[in-house]
Amino acid sequence: MQDFKAIFFDFDGTIADTVNGILSTMTATFEELSLPVPPQDEMRATIGMLLSDALQKLGNRSEERRVGK
């Protein structure tokens, strides 16, 4: 048997479907921050992005909706 230096797993979407958990967490985050919850399709489109980038993108869209742009 070979000695391995590292083993990588592509967990998200391969071993488990975590989309519903991610969407639930995003929804709870926006609700906790008293921000409008973006539509699920917009949140789904950010899955795989860095969390800070995803929240900034979604937060900016939420801000636009809040001020009526």
Side-chain angles (χ1 to χ4, degrees):
M1 186 156 138
Q2 280 185 324
D3 290 334
F4 295 98
K5 292 183 181 181
I7 298 174
F8 295 94
F9 292 98
D10 181 8
F11 182 82
D12 193 27
T14 302
I15 296 175
D17 182 3
T18 57
V19 171
N20 288 334
I22 293 169
L23 295 176
S24 294
T25 301
M26 290 177 144
T27 298
T29 299
F30 279 93
E31 289 174 345
E32 182 69 25
L33 295 171
S34 299
L35 294 170
V37 178
Q40 285 200 350
D41 61 326
E42 289 183 23
M43 290 190 290
R44 184 183 297 267
T46 66
I47 294 175
M49 295 173 66
L50 292 174
L51 181 59
S52 58
D53 293 343
L55 292 177
Q56 182 177 5
K57 181 177 181 175
L58 292 168
N60 286 342
R61 289 182 179 174
S62 295
E63 183 65 26
E64 289 171 8
R65 276 196 296 279
R66 186 176 14 199
V67 294
K69 291 184 181 177

